[in-house]
Each structure stands twice: as structure tokens, then as C-alpha cells.
Amino acid sequence: QVCPQLRTPRLPVWLCGLPGRHGVLFGTDSLLLSDWKRERVFHLHFYSGQREQTETARLTIDTHSHHWEEDRSEDPSSPGRRRPAMEMAIRTKWAGATVSWNGTDPFF
């Protein structure tokens, strides 16, 4: 039998996976699960357990960013416009959100 806490987590948590790579994306604000107003600007933590990750990455998510203000003259497929897979996964939940890695180089 599954414990109720496993069916309804107290904190937001997502298991993330790409071929051959896995990680955990989680938040420490329990109100993020129940109060939509908390989804304006919030922090999530990401841990993959990979050797190149020496500490948990703290990501800042801004769901009300102005994505239309990005430089449109740059080719969308250029390396400067590509987004890390983790950012794209986050955008499946919060479309158009910007993700700040807060000084950590994106590694996933």
C-alpha cells in the first residue's frame, strides 16, 4: 500500500529524464502546490547526481517575464538562442517562463 504522502507530496517535486540522464527538480515552498499567486517568481532546485554537478543548482523561475522582448534578429537555431533541456521541461508546466540559473552553468 502506498503511503498518502507519496501520492500527494508536501513539496513540489518532479523527476526529470533525458536519454541516459536523470535528475530531481524540487521546490521548498509548499504553497507553490496550492496558491497560484506563488507562481509569479519562485525558486526550484535541481540535482542530478552527476560528477560535473558539485552542488544543487538553484533556479529562479519568472512566469511573467516578457519573452517578446528577446532579440528577434538572432536566428532561433543559433547557439545563443538555444535553451537547455531543463528550461524546456520547466516551460511545459509554465509556458513562456524565463529560467535563471543564478550563476551556475546549465548542465542538463
Side-chain angles (χ1 to χ4, degrees):
Q1 183 176 7
V2 176
C3 163
Q5 285 79 15
L6 292 176
R7 290 184 299 217
T8 308
R10 293 182 183 166
L11 296 172
V13 61
W14 296 271
L15 299 176
C16 306
L18 291 173
R21 301 177 88 181
H22 297 87
V24 177
L25 182 68
F26 62 95
T28 56
D29 182 2
S30 62
L31 294 177
L32 190 58
L33 293 170
S34 60
D35 185 2
W36 62 269
K37 291 178 246 171
R38 294 281 195 165
E39 292 186 6
R40 168 66 170 89
V41 175
F42 56 95
H43 302 285
L44 294 176
H45 304 273
F46 180 70
Y47 182 73
S48 68
Q50 297 176 13
R51 282 182 292 203
E52 64 264 21
Q53 184 180 7
T54 58
E55 60 186 44
T56 302
R58 184 172 187 255
L59 310 177
T60 301
I61 316 301
D62 183 353
T63 61
H64 286 50
S65 61
H66 298 185
H67 62 321
W68 58 84
E69 293 176 355
E70 292 179 358
D71 184 9
R72 298 280 185 212
S73 63
E74 193 175 339
D75 181 7
S77 63
S78 72
R81 295 277 294 181
R82 289 188 185 158
R83 302 287 187 236
M86 178 53 57
E87 290 184 29
M88 300 311 291
I90 289 169
R91 288 180 179 164
T92 63
K93 169 81 172 138
W94 296 283
T98 58
V99 179
S100 170
W101 287 74
N102 298 312
T104 302
D105 289 330
F107 53 87
F108 190 83

